[in-house]
């Protein structure tokens, strides 16, 4: 499935480029364009020349940038690169940075894509580093050809350092740093067999268009970005927001752990989607900025489609095992937790509520309950819902299929994508805005499925993140049907 719909909301390539028009307007692109019997114009994505022409043409058409990419060097996909720049814009707005930000691009490549886009699109001033002499030469030429030397400085770099060489050479603070690291640890990983790591995952559709040195580094991206995180610890607030792209989902947990360990104040994770490719972005800061506060409207549709939490209410006495009784008790729980709540739908076998919490009113109660259990029940976990029961699986599956109350159809699990860590909470003007005060907003539905009753909880927004919803579900499990 193409994931263009999940691109950043401001990405102009959410609407795919019109290849027919590109072929009419740009002779270099036309060379690679073919028309099928239905009149549809396309290119061969396995042809490196066609990919290079597409990238150069889009840069020319949409950003008035003229770039050269030598044979064998990485050809950047523009929609994905633009996703990263737009996310940086959001982060910088959050940090109250100046409109003309000052940034560092680590490993800019022959195209110098990020600094050129940043300078042309947003007038940011950029220092770009590169270790490969040929790429360095080409990046410098690309900047000059576009008359952007006033905003972009390209500098040769040493392999053993990522940030130090820039921060030692250029005084003053930077608003951000960015990095598209070499994702792989060995050239073997570039083989299509390894790239299609999962049975269900299709083989890459595009030609491989980079040199091995550009995309392979000892230890792969985890080691590379870990170096960046370690270096960021040394430079702390000299750079307002440190960021990196991440190529593999499996790299996120160790990196987030390290970000926590080096004492970042807050961090944020995002997804960059384009075509059949998903990449991730990590941002962290040592300044007093809460990166988790990216406004909801800017979170991609995919992130909003959080996987709902499902729970089958264990069967008890017949007279109490009714949707109406469960709802009554649920309302009791909402009141106990001081939720603002509203019933938004009631049809046969289905009731939906929207609930809003302005503080965590459940954690203490969980602790007290756990303690009570430890003494009364020998520490056995009180979860009368048998997680291994096949029946439970069926009901949850059914609930998910039903998409109770229009819940998201996507079943892809989403990771916790932000953290508060040591956030030094400071009252700001925006704290007075109501939505900023929301700790948790969610939809909670009660539905009958066959002869069972299930709950579905969907996270909407709130500082408590999805973690808070997990905790609320746990509270409901522990309290809903108790007498
Ligand atoms: C995956 S490429 C990214 C190129 C470009 N930023 C892009 O997104 O298309 C990684 C680049 O980082 C460069 N590189 C690797 N280690 C580096 C280091 N320590 N300092 C600066 N550049 C480095 C490589 O030569 C390569 O050009």
């Amino acid at each position: 499935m193409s994931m263009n719909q999940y691109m950043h909301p401001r990405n102009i390539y959410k609407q795919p480029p019109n290849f027919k028009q590109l072929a009419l307007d740009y002779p270099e692109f036309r060379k690679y364009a073919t028309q099928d019997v239905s009149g549809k114009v396309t290119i061969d994505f396995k042809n490196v020349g066609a990919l290079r022409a597409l990238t150069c043409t889009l840069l020319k058409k949409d950003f008035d940038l003229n770039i050269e990419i030598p044979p064998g060097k990485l050809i950047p996909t523009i929609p994905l690169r633009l996703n990263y720049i737009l996310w940086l814009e959001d982060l910088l707005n959050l940090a109250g940075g100046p409109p003309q930000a000052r940034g560092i691009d680590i490993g800019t490549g022959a195209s110098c894509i990020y600094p050129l886009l940043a300078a042309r699109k947003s007038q940011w001033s950029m220092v770009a580093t590169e270790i490969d002499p040929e790429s360095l030469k080409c990046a410098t030429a690309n900047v000059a050809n576009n008359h952007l030397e006033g905003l972009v400085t390209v500098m040769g770099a040493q392999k053993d350092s990522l940030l130090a060489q820039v921060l030692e050479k250029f005084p003053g603070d930077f608003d951000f740093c960015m990095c598209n690291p070499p994702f792989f640890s060995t050239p073997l990983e570039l083989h299509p067999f390894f790239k299609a790591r999962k049975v269900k995952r299709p083989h890459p559709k595009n030609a491989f268009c980079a040199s091995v040195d550009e995309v392979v580094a000892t230890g792969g991206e985890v080691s590379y970005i870990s170096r960046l995180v370690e270096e960021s610890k040394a430079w702390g607030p000299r750079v307002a927001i440190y960021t990196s792209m991440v190529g593999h989902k499996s790299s996120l947990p160790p990196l987030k752990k390290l970000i926590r360990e080096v004492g970042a104040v807050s961090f944020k994770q995002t997804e960059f989607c384009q075509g059949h490719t998903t990449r991730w972005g990590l941002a962290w800061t040592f300044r007093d900025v809460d990166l988790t506060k990216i406004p909801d409207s800017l979170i991609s549709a995919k992130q909003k489609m959080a996987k709902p939490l499902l729970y089958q209410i264990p069967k008890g006495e017949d007279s109490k095992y009714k949707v109406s009784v469960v709802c009554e008790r649920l309302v009791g729980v909402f009141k106990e937790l001081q939720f603002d709540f509203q019933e938004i739908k009631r049809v046969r076998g289905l009731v939906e509520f929207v609930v809003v919490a302005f503080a965590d009113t459940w954690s203490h109660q969980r602790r007290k309950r756990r303690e009570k259990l430890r003494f009364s029940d020998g520490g056995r976990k009180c979860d009368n819902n048998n997680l291994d029961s096949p029946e439970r699986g069926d009901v949850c599956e059914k609930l998910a299929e039903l998409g109770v109350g229009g819940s998201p159809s996507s079943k892809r699990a989403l990771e916790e994508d932000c953290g508060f860590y040591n956030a030094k909470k400071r009252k700001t003007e925006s704290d007075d805005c109501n939505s900023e005060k929301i700790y948790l907003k969610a939809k909670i539905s009660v539905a009958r499925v066959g002869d069972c009753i299930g709950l579905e909880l969907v996270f909407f927004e709130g500082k408590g993140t999805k973690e808070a919803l997990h905790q609320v579900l746990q509270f409901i499990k522990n309290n809903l049907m108790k007498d």
Side-chain angles (χ1 to χ4, degrees):
M1 184 190 70
S2 166
M3 287 178 291
N4 285 354
Q5 57 180 310
Y6 302 125
M7 277 185 195
H8 189 285
R10 295 195 303 278
N11 197 315
I12 53 172
Y13 301 110
K14 268 173 95 93
Q15 194 71 282
N18 181 338
F19 279 11
K20 195 169 187 171
Q21 200 58 49
L22 287 184
L24 287 171
D25 296 345
Y26 298 90
E28 188 51 33
F29 182 78
R30 188 157 60 237
K31 279 191 212 161
Y32 297 95
T34 53
Q35 196 163 21
D36 67 16
V37 280
S38 70
K40 188 180 168 205
V41 175
T42 187
I43 57 167
D44 176 6
F45 285 89
K46 296 220 172 293
N47 180 334
V48 174
L51 294 180
R52 185 180 297 107
L54 175 60
T55 284
C56 295
T57 305
L58 290 179
L59 284 175
K60 177 71 196 155
K61 174 179 151 303
D62 296 322
F63 300 96
D64 193 22
L65 286 168
N66 297 294
I67 68 156
E68 295 276 333
I69 306 169
K73 292 294 179 198
L74 198 152
I75 300 168
T77 44
I78 306 308
L80 203 60
R81 300 304 191 279
L82 190 56
N83 272 339
Y84 195 168
I85 296 278
L86 292 167
W87 186 54
L88 280 168
E89 273 181 16
D90 298 341
L91 291 168
L92 290 169
N93 285 339
L94 198 71
Q100 287 168 340
R102 188 174 185 228
I104 303 167
D105 178 30
I106 304 163
T108 202
S111 60
C112 201
I113 183 68
Y114 286 122
L116 290 181
L117 275 178
R120 178 66 97 233
K121 187 183 166 310
S122 313
Q123 289 75 53
W124 294 346
S125 128
M126 300 288 298
V127 176
T129 70
E130 181 51 59
I131 51 167
D132 177 72
E134 192 192 348
S135 294
L136 180 63
K137 199 169 150 206
C138 189
T140 310
N142 278 329
V143 173
N145 288 343
N146 290 286
H147 314 291
L148 285 169
E149 302 98 320
L151 285 174
V152 181
T153 306
V154 185
M155 66 174 271
Q158 298 303 314
K159 207 173 186 161
D160 54 0
S161 141
L162 297 169
L163 276 173
Q165 40 206 341
V166 180
L167 294 174
E168 277 161 9
K169 185 167 174 186
F170 296 88
D173 288 357
F174 282 85
D175 298 298
F176 69 92
C177 74
M178 66 189 308
C179 170
N180 178 9
F183 293 152
F184 305 101
S185 59
T186 140
L188 260 183
E189 289 179 59
L190 302 173
H191 192 283
F193 174 79
F194 290 99
K195 285 188 110 183
R197 290 176 300 280
K198 288 182 189 148
V199 186
K200 281 194 212 148
R201 191 169 164 174
H203 282 255
K205 288 194 169 26
N206 289 10
F208 175 68
C209 43
S211 69
V212 168
D213 285 346
E214 287 173 302
V215 292
V216 174
T218 315
E221 63 178 356
V222 172
S223 158
Y224 194 93
I225 303 169
S226 294
R227 277 167 54 203
L228 180 59
V229 177
E230 294 288 1
E231 282 192 39
S232 73
K233 182 186 174 186
W235 293 100
R238 259 295 290 282
V239 176
I241 305 174
Y242 296 85
T243 73
S244 179
M245 192 186 271
V246 178
H248 307 300
K249 197 174 184 180
S250 59
S251 304
L252 293 168
L255 292 171
K256 287 193 280 189
K257 183 167 175 276
L258 187 62
I259 290 171
R260 182 194 302 269
E261 281 166 9
V262 297
V265 170
S266 68
F267 86 92
K268 180 80 188 165
Q269 173 190 319
T270 195
E271 279 188 10
F272 302 123
C273 301
Q274 185 236 325
H276 296 269
T277 305
T278 302
R279 302 285 181 226
W280 291 265
L282 276 179
W284 64 100
T285 183
F286 296 91
R287 293 202 186 169
D288 193 4
V289 178
D290 189 349
L291 296 178
T292 64
K293 279 190 173 167
I294 280 204
D296 206 34
S297 60
L298 295 174
I299 296 172
S300 76
K302 189 169 176 193
Q303 283 169 287
K304 279 184 205 161
M305 290 190 2
K307 189 182 175 187
L309 304 180
L310 304 173
Y311 172 61
Q312 181 193 331
I313 294 163
K315 282 186 188 157
E317 262 176 64
D318 275 0
S319 61
K320 289 185 191 162
Y321 203 68
K322 290 182 178 151
V323 169
S324 58
V325 176
V326 171
C327 287
E328 230 169 75
R329 287 175 171 239
L330 204 51
V331 165
V333 171
F334 296 161
K335 286 180 179 162
E336 186 181 345
L337 294 179
Q338 294 159 3
F339 284 175
D340 273 5
F341 64 92
Q342 198 182 353
E343 186 182 300
I344 54 163
K345 190 172 189 175
R346 185 177 281 260
V347 292
R348 202 177 146 78
L350 171 67
V351 181
E352 290 176 6
F353 299 92
V354 169
V355 300
V356 177
F358 292 95
D360 174 352
T361 48
W362 48 87
S363 293
H364 179 58
Q365 321 225 17
R366 282 180 75 210
R367 264 203 314 278
K368 275 201 310 199
R369 182 164 175 79
R370 257 195 245 116
E371 256 155 41
K372 206 168 122 194
L373 273 172
R374 209 175 301 139
F375 292 117
S376 67
D377 202 21
R380 193 161 49 83
K381 193 169 177 247
C382 177
D383 186 352
N384 39 10
N385 191 359
N386 177 7
L387 289 174
D388 299 327
S389 140
E391 195 190 25
R392 176 197 179 271
D394 284 355
V395 172
C396 287
E397 186 70 10
K398 255 269 142 11
L399 268 171
E401 267 170 31
L402 287 174
V404 170
S407 69
S409 58
S410 165
K411 291 184 189 170
R412 282 184 67 154
L414 291 163
E415 291 211 335
E416 283 308 318
D417 58 4
C418 51
F420 296 97
Y421 300 165
N422 317 317
K424 306 160 201 157
K425 292 276 168 238
R426 198 177 49 182
K427 189 166 165 62
T428 62
E429 270 174 38
S430 61
D431 280 337
D432 293 332
C433 152
N434 210 21
S435 91
E436 295 284 319
K437 284 185 191 159
I438 291 178
Y439 191 75
L440 174 68
K441 183 172 178 181
K443 189 177 74 182
I444 301 185
S445 313
V446 184
R448 175 169 284 285
V449 180
D451 62 348
C452 295
I453 298 176
L455 290 187
E456 185 201 68
L457 290 78
V458 181
F459 176 79
F460 283 169
E461 63 173 315
K463 290 185 281 187
T465 74
K466 277 170 271 162
E467 180 58 33
L469 193 62
H470 278 280
Q471 292 166 1
V472 167
L473 176 57
Q474 191 57 48
F475 186 89
I476 292 174
K477 283 180 184 181
N478 291 343
N479 292 277
L480 188 67
M481 299 311 271
K482 80 173 181 211
D483 286 310

